[in-house]
Amino acid sequence: MPGLYRKPLRAALFRRRKPQVQQDKQGQSRGSNDQKAPYPPLEAYQLTAELKLNLEQLQRIFAKCSDVVHRDFYLGQAIKAALFYIDGLADKKLIEDTLMRTLQQAPPQLARDLANKTRDLAAVMETVMPMTDVAVVDNMGAVVKHVLDGDTVLLLDGYNKGLALSTRSWEHRTIDEPITESVVRGPRESFIESLRTNTALLRRRLKTPSLKMELVCLGRYTMTNVVITYIEDLADPAVVREVRQRLERIQIDGILESAYIEELIEDNPTSPFPQIDHTERPDKVVAALLEGRVGILVDNTPFALIVPTLFVQFIQSSEDYYERYYLSSFLRLARFVALNIALLLPAAYVAVSTFHQEMLPTNLLVKLASQREGIPFPAVVEAIMLELTFELLREAGVRLPRPVGQALSIVGALVIGEAAVSAGLVSPSMVIVVALTGISSFAIPSFAMAITLRLLRFVMLILAGTLGFYGIMLGLLAILVHLNTLRSFGVPYLAPVTPWNFSDFKDVLVRVPRWAMNSRPSQIGYRDPVRQGAGLKPTPPASSNPPPEEGRS
C-alpha cells in the first residue's frame, strides 16, 4: 500500500510565526498569541472533601446559567449531598422518581456507616446507587464535562470525589427516510443528530466485537463528540492511526457539522473534487466498513464521513447492490454517460458552432445557422447566460419552501426559456443543450461531485469558447492529471483504474453478480482480501422426480 500522505516540509518552513512576547515596564507580557491564560484549566481544580467548597466553585463556573439545576438533599438523612444537571439534557423524571427517591430513602444506619467508617465511593455505588452507568470524577473539568454532556453529577460531603450518573435524555427527531440519498429498494433508515442513536444503527447491523468506536472530543466551546468507527480485523492500522492523528491535530472553537472536519483532514484542500465521502445512510457506512474503510460520526449532524474515498464511489449508489446486477450495471453506465454530458456537452456545442462547423452535416449546420440568425451574443456568452440562469433557478428552488420551490424551478425554467427564445436572445438548440446538461447533472448520486462538475462546466465553456476542441482537450488533460495526483489517506483517488487492478474493476463501470464479488478492494481491504466463499453461483437443482414404476405407461 502506498505511503500515507504527509504535509510537505516547505509548508512547515513557511508557517506563519507567532509574534514574540513583549515586556512592558511592569514585566507583564502583551501582544502575543502565546500569552498564558489568566486561569489554569478546570482539570487543575481537584474536588475537596468539603461539599460547600465544591458547590461554591460549581456555582461560580455555572453563574448566569438558568438551565443548570442544583439540588441539595441528605443521603439516608445522614450524608449531605448535592446533584447538578442541566434541564433539557438530563432525564428529569428519572432523576426525581428513581435517583432522588432511592438515595433519600436509604437506610439511615447504612448512611451513617458510610459517613463514619468507609468514606469509600465504591461502597456507595454497591449499596445505595440505583444507576448502572456510573463514572467516578475527581476534578472540576470532569464534572463540568459530564454535566454539559447531559449527565447528573452527585457530590457527597466528606468525599473528595464525585459520581457522574448517565441520565442523558433530550428531544431529537425520529429516524426517518434519507432525504439526499433516496432509493426504490433498500433500507429506509437514516442517521439523525443524536450520536448514540447513530452508533446504535451501526451496532444493530454489525453484531461483532471487532467493530470499534473511539471517542474524540473536538471544539473549544462546543466540545463536540466525534466517533472513529472501523472493523479492527479489516481496517488498515496505519489509516486508523492517520485518522486519529488528523482529528487530534484540529484546534478550533467549535464543530457544528461534519463538513468542518472534512475540510480540516482532507489530503488536498485546494482541489475542487471531494476526497471524503459523506452519507446519511447507515447501510452505506456498514458496507464501507466491511471493505476495510473507516467511518467518522459527528454529534449533532446526520452526515457521516467515510475514508479512504475513491472517485468511483461518487458515481455508485446504494441501490446498485440491492437490484439485479444487469440493471445496476446499465444504470451505472448511464451515470458515467451523464457525467460526461454534464461536464462537456455545452462546451462541445460551443466549440462546434464557433470553430469546427465542418464537423457537422450540412443540413444540421444550415438549421443551426438559421436558428442563430439574429442572436446578438456569441455562442459562449449565450451558453454562460443560460447556465447561470439555470443555476439561479436551481438555487432558488432549494432555498424556498419545498412546494413553492418545486413550482418555481419547473415553471421558471419553462417561462424564462420560452421568453428568451421568443425575444431572440438565445437559440432553441442552446436551450435544449442546457436543459439536457441540467438533467444529466441530477443523475449523479453524489451532490458534492455534481457541484464540482457544475463548476468545471464553466471552465470548460471558457476554454471551448477561446480555443475550441483544443481547449477542451487541454482542460480534460489538466483534470485527469490532477485526479491522478490526488490521494485519500494514502490511497490513489483513481484506483483501481490507476494503478490498474483487474480484480477490482468488477465494481467500477459495471457491477458483476454478487456470487462473483469474492474479494475486497486490494488498495483498502488487503488485510483480509477474501470477502466470501468460492462457488456461490446458483445452479439448477437436480431432478427430484422419482423414476417411473415398471409396467406403468
Side-chain angles (χ1 to χ4, degrees):
M1 180 176 179
L4 290 173
Y5 169 83
R6 289 291 186 271
K7 287 188 175 181
L9 180 61
R10 184 175 61 178
L13 294 177
F14 287 92
R15 187 178 300 144
R16 182 181 300 177
R17 297 183 178 179
K18 297 181 180 180
Q20 298 294 328
V21 178
Q22 298 179 2
Q23 301 290 332
D24 56 13
K25 294 182 179 179
Q26 286 77 18
Q28 298 178 351
S29 61
R30 56 184 177 85
S32 172
N33 292 335
D34 294 332
Q35 185 176 358
K36 293 184 179 180
Y39 300 103
L42 293 176
E43 288 76 12
Y45 294 95
Q46 298 294 321
L47 293 178
T48 65
E50 296 186 31
L51 179 62
K52 182 179 179 180
L53 296 179
N54 295 332
L55 294 180
E56 289 178 354
Q57 288 187 355
L58 283 174
Q59 290 172 353
R60 189 181 303 111
I61 293 172
F62 290 110
K64 301 179 182 180
C65 297
S66 59
D67 56 342
V68 177
V69 179
H70 165 217
R71 176 71 182 275
D72 294 326
F73 67 100
Y74 280 90
L75 192 154
Q77 302 178 1
I79 303 177
K80 190 175 182 180
L83 290 177
F84 265 90
Y85 64 91
I86 294 181
D87 188 10
L89 297 183
D91 190 346
K92 184 182 292 187
K93 184 176 178 60
L94 175 64
I95 296 172
E96 295 178 352
D97 295 348
T98 302
L99 181 60
M100 290 285 297
R101 182 176 300 177
T102 303
L103 295 180
Q104 287 178 333
Q105 295 179 357
Q109 184 59 39
L110 176 62
R112 284 192 290 270
D113 292 342
L114 293 174
N116 299 328
K117 298 179 182 179
T118 61
R119 298 288 182 183
D120 186 11
L121 277 179
V124 177
M125 297 168 60
E126 294 173 359
T127 54
V128 298
M129 183 54 59
M131 313 296 292
T132 56
D133 191 356
V134 183
V136 178
V137 292
D138 58 357
N139 60 78
M140 281 297 167
V143 171
V144 172
K145 178 67 170 58
H146 280 282
V147 171
L148 294 176
D149 283 341
D151 296 334
T152 299
V153 174
L154 171 65
L155 301 177
L156 302 174
D157 192 19
Y159 291 79
N160 61 354
K161 295 181 181 180
L163 296 177
L165 317 174
S166 179
T167 57
R168 304 178 187 183
S169 177
W170 50 77
E171 295 295 331
H172 56 77
R173 67 184 179 95
T174 59
I175 299 175
D176 206 349
E177 186 176 351
I179 298 177
T180 60
E181 299 172 278
S182 58
V183 295
V184 177
R185 180 180 180 180
R188 301 304 176 91
E189 290 181 334
S190 67
F191 289 128
I192 63 173
E193 286 74 13
S194 175
L195 180 61
R196 282 308 163 202
T197 303
N198 296 340
T199 57
L201 290 174
L202 299 182
R203 284 286 182 189
R204 201 174 70 181
R205 289 167 169 81
L206 288 172
K207 301 179 178 64
T208 170
S210 296
L211 177 62
K212 305 302 179 182
M213 295 188 179
E214 301 180 10
L215 183 64
V216 181
C217 186
L218 300 178
R220 178 185 176 190
Y221 293 106
T222 59
M223 290 189 287
T224 305
N225 290 325
V226 179
V227 169
I228 306 172
T229 178
Y230 57 93
I231 298 179
E232 191 175 27
D233 301 334
L234 303 179
D236 185 2
V239 174
V240 176
R241 183 168 57 252
E242 182 71 13
V243 172
R244 191 184 303 116
Q245 291 176 356
R246 294 191 190 186
L247 289 178
E248 292 175 350
R249 196 168 56 235
I250 296 176
Q251 301 294 330
I252 193 172
D253 285 345
I255 301 292
L256 303 182
E257 217 276 336
S258 58
Y260 284 49
I261 296 178
E262 181 179 353
E263 291 189 28
L264 294 172
I265 66 173
E266 60 184 353
D267 292 61
N268 191 343
T270 60
S271 174
F273 289 92
Q275 300 147 59
I276 298 176
D277 194 8
H278 62 270
T279 179
E280 57 178 340
R281 297 188 61 90
D283 59 318
K284 185 175 180 179
V285 176
V286 170
L289 298 182
L290 289 174
E291 289 185 343
R293 291 182 168 89
V294 179
I296 302 175
L297 305 179
V298 184
D299 199 8
N300 301 319
T301 176
F303 287 93
L305 305 179
I306 299 175
V307 295
T309 301
L310 307 180
F311 177 81
V312 295
Q313 288 181 234
F314 299 103
I315 314 299
Q316 299 170 352
S317 173
S318 300
E319 199 172 10
D320 292 350
Y321 305 93
Y322 305 141
E323 294 287 355
R324 300 295 299 275
Y325 65 91
Y326 51 82
L327 177 60
S328 301
S329 300
F330 171 76
L331 293 178
R332 187 173 294 181
L333 288 173
R335 292 191 205 109
F336 276 100
V337 173
L339 183 147
N340 289 276
I341 292 176
L343 178 63
L344 299 176
L345 182 59
Y349 177 82
V350 169
V352 169
S353 61
T354 305
F355 296 98
H356 310 285
Q357 296 90 347
E358 67 278 2
M359 298 183 64
L360 297 177
T362 304
N363 294 335
L364 180 59
L365 180 60
V366 170
K367 287 188 176 182
L368 291 180
S370 62
Q371 289 180 5
R372 288 198 47 79
E373 186 178 359
I375 303 298
F377 305 107
V380 61
V381 176
E382 181 185 0
I384 292 177
M385 287 173 51
L386 276 180
E387 287 289 348
L388 287 176
T389 304
F390 194 85
E391 294 297 331
L392 290 176
L393 284 173
R394 177 158 38 189
E395 186 68 15
V398 172
R399 303 307 165 198
L400 287 174
R402 184 172 300 176
V404 180
Q406 294 177 353
L408 175 66
S409 300
I410 299 174
V411 177
L414 293 176
V415 171
I416 293 178
E418 182 65 26
V421 172
S422 301
L425 298 178
V426 296
S427 61
S429 57
M430 183 63 76
V431 174
I432 295 175
V433 168
V434 173
L436 184 59
T437 303
I439 294 173
S440 300
S441 65
F442 290 140
I444 307 300
S446 172
F447 183 71
M449 182 59 69
I451 291 180
T452 300
L453 294 178
R454 284 154 57 181
L455 293 176
L456 294 177
R457 186 190 310 156
F458 288 96
V459 178
M460 302 302 291
L461 266 175
I462 296 174
L463 291 174
T466 55
L467 299 174
F469 273 121
Y470 300 104
I472 293 178
M473 293 305 299
L474 287 176
L476 287 177
L477 286 175
I479 292 174
L480 290 177
V481 170
H482 174 70
L483 289 176
N484 195 39
T485 60
L486 288 182
R487 297 289 186 272
S488 178
F489 285 81
V491 178
Y493 195 58
L494 290 182
V497 179
T498 172
W500 172 258
N501 189 298
F502 180 77
S503 63
D504 292 350
F505 205 72
K506 60 182 177 292
D507 195 21
V508 179
L509 292 179
V510 297
R511 181 183 76 81
V512 299
R514 179 71 60 185
W515 41 264
M517 302 178 66
N518 298 326
S519 60
R520 294 184 174 87
S522 59
Q523 291 282 343
I524 299 172
Y526 70 94
R527 294 190 65 194
D528 187 5
V530 180
R531 190 202 305 262
Q532 60 191 24
L536 295 181
K537 181 180 179 179
T539 56
S543 178
S544 59
N545 297 328
E549 297 180 4
E550 296 182 0
R552 179 179 297 181
S553 58

